[in-house]
Amino acid sequence: TWYAGADDTVFRSTNDADGWESVGHFTGEKIVSVKSFPKEASTQRRPGLLAVATQLSEAEGGSALHISQDCGETWKIGLRTTFLVSELAWVEREYVPVLLLATEKGLYELALHEGAQPFQVLVDPKQTSLGFFSVAVSTDVWGGTCVAVAARGDQGVYLSDEAGKPETFRHIGLQKEMVRRLVFHHYAPHRYLWACVAAIGDDAGKGCYRWKLTGAEENPEG
């Protein structure tokens, strides 16, 4: 199953992208991030769990979250924020699915249960209001989870080897680079973090940087 967002609509393909259908329409909002719950991130399978972050109109400002438990057949409106959410990622906390929100005001966690409220995850104690463009999650075969975030203001990339818990992030470089997207890549027993760098105007840019995951040890590739 594949999902894609365009303008105010979420599309779904259940035949490996041969055909598509509309499964979510959020009038007056713009799709920013679409994330299904990854099977490797949980000790329990959660088929059909899907989250969408949208940007609200200029008059309203901020973002809205929409949650589906059935692959987009039905939707429940979740949290609304006064600030912009740039990207979503899933983790699990004590068997509860949790959304990580990369926002212009910081990194936030939101548990998926009634009455849950978001709380800020402190990434850099010296910059409590540091915002983020991207967040990515990777779980290895032993259940260990890494979380990476790309900071706004060209402040580089931070990595947590402890599932993104508060004050477990360390800065791993790329200051002064415009990192706008992070993606984890699993290749045989190896895992890599790719940082995608933006370019301005006709500048060809620098493409991507790679970081090899080796637990708490330093990346041997530099």
Side-chain angles (χ1 to χ4, degrees):
T1 303
W2 293 76
Y3 299 97
D7 294 326
D8 59 0
T9 304
V10 176
F11 296 89
R12 180 186 68 191
S13 172
T14 55
N15 56 8
D16 205 16
D18 283 337
W20 294 85
E21 58 184 333
S22 171
V23 293
H25 186 73
F26 309 114
T27 303
E29 303 175 24
K30 181 180 179 180
I31 307 296
V32 174
S33 182
V34 182
K35 286 293 170 70
S36 57
F37 193 90
K39 61 182 181 180
E40 69 273 9
S42 177
T43 54
Q44 305 178 39
R45 288 188 57 81
R46 301 183 187 277
L49 181 56
L50 180 68
V52 170
T54 66
Q55 182 178 350
L56 300 175
S57 66
E58 289 186 12
E60 294 180 90
S63 291
L65 297 181
H66 303 271
I67 305 296
S68 176
Q69 300 276 358
D70 52 16
C71 299
E73 293 293 327
T74 59
W75 293 91
K76 179 179 179 181
I77 298 176
L79 176 74
R80 285 181 175 252
T81 68
T82 57
F83 46 81
L84 182 63
V85 176
S86 300
E87 193 173 19
L88 304 173
W90 289 102
V91 293
E92 191 177 67
R93 300 271 191 258
E94 298 179 352
Y95 306 106
V96 175
V98 173
L99 272 174
L100 293 177
L101 317 176
T103 83
E104 61 183 350
K105 297 296 184 181
L107 180 66
Y108 285 81
E109 274 194 10
L110 178 66
L112 212 65
H113 59 72
E114 289 293 332
Q117 295 294 321
F119 72 88
Q120 186 175 5
V121 178
L122 190 59
V123 174
D124 188 340
K126 297 179 181 179
Q127 302 183 77
T128 57
S129 60
L130 181 63
F132 299 95
F133 282 113
S134 183
V135 56
V137 175
S138 171
T139 300
D140 63 24
V141 294
W142 299 281
T145 299
C146 292
V147 175
V149 289
R152 288 175 176 260
D154 306 336
Q155 294 294 306
V157 176
Y158 293 80
L159 178 65
S160 166
D161 300 305
E162 299 181 39
K165 295 177 181 178
E167 300 188 49
T168 64
F169 288 86
R170 69 186 193 276
H171 195 273
I172 60 172
L174 296 188
Q175 299 99 320
K176 308 302 181 183
E177 299 290 351
M178 297 189 296
V179 180
R180 296 296 182 264
R181 187 69 67 214
L182 298 172
V183 179
F184 279 106
H185 175 206
H186 292 207
Y187 180 71
H190 306 292
R191 290 188 300 158
Y192 300 92
L193 172 65
W194 289 88
C196 311
V197 180
I200 298 175
D202 295 330
D203 184 1
K206 298 180 180 179
C208 298
Y209 291 87
R210 185 178 78 180
W211 179 276
K212 186 174 182 180
L213 296 174
T214 54
E217 298 177 6
E218 287 300 313
N219 170 21
E221 297 182 335

